[in-house]
Amino acid sequence: MNKELTLALIQTHLAWENPVENRAMLSRKIKSIEVPSDLIILPEMFTTGFSMNARSLAETMHGETIKWLLELAKEKSTAICGSLIIKEKEHFYNRFVFITPEGETTHYDKHQLFTMAEEREVYTPGNEIVIIDYKGWKIKPQICYDLRFPVWARNTTGYDLLLYVASWPKTRINAWDTLLRARAIENMSYCIGVNRIGLDGNGYEYNGHSGAYNVLGHKLNDYIPIKKDEIQVITLLKSHIENTRKKLPFLEDADTFKLL
């Protein structure tokens, strides 16, 4: 079991609906990371941007992007995660994939779909709560709009890290900052959010603010500067979780209930 977990957060612009260009760009960035990392985190829909053109852009779990991730994870000896558009049995999903260097693949399908962008008209919501066990760390993956719904993030399993990948727009970035901190505090967990930058094909602007918070809601990093294309490496400590939860056993007093 790793007592430390080193993460590389990739905040970047994405070429609109261009998987080939985005894979090439991200390959260069990932290969440039010199600090040994346990996990590399990419934004939401990292091959296309936040697109509703699922019919023409969707891949399968045996498609080019999954093959590319498997090769890169093996080459870099690190896990890689992020979300992309996946088709299964005539359904489209905004799917978070987590791929280890050994080739193990885990996925989570976005539950809270963004009605204002008509995401629910195109994609099928996931209804499964997923916990990824990696190097002795329990990681709960979430995607963008999920951040606004605390019940879906509720820490009933004792997870260590709540992880959001996003296309969160500049106009609502204050909510992003506030809610990431709140999710860390209420779940007594590390909380990481990786957001994109730049304009998308619909003219929406994204300004990053990728951030990391500890169990008490304190920032572990200065936000990756607004609009800056940057990779930031952060190390999490298991002892911080264990010591804080022992001293402040708030999770033990939580109400017990089940999601329908």
Side-chain angles (χ1 to χ4, degrees), residues 6-20:
T6 300
L7 314 177
L9 284 55
I10 298 185
Q11 177 173 289
T12 186
H13 171 72
L14 299 172
W16 184 245
E17 297 184 347
N18 192 331
V20 173

Side-chain angles (χ1 to χ4, degrees), residues 122-136:
V122 177
Y123 297 93
T124 298
N127 289 307
E128 183 180 357
I129 294 173
V130 175
I131 302 295
I132 299 165
D133 196 336
Y134 177 62
K135 294 192 172 184

Side-chain angles (χ1 to χ4, degrees), residues 106-146:
T106 308
H107 71 263
Y108 159 76
D109 294 325
K110 186 176 182 181
H111 177 66
Q112 300 288 355
L113 302 180
F114 191 47
T115 306
M116 289 175 62
E118 299 184 347
E119 188 179 15
R120 188 170 292 277
E121 303 302 315
V122 177
Y123 297 93
T124 298
N127 289 307
E128 183 180 357
I129 294 173
V130 175
I131 302 295
I132 299 165
D133 196 336
Y134 177 62
K135 294 192 172 184
W137 287 69
K138 291 183 179 180
I139 302 170
K140 183 167 187 172
Q142 301 271 271
I143 302 175
C144 203
Y145 195 45
D146 287 332

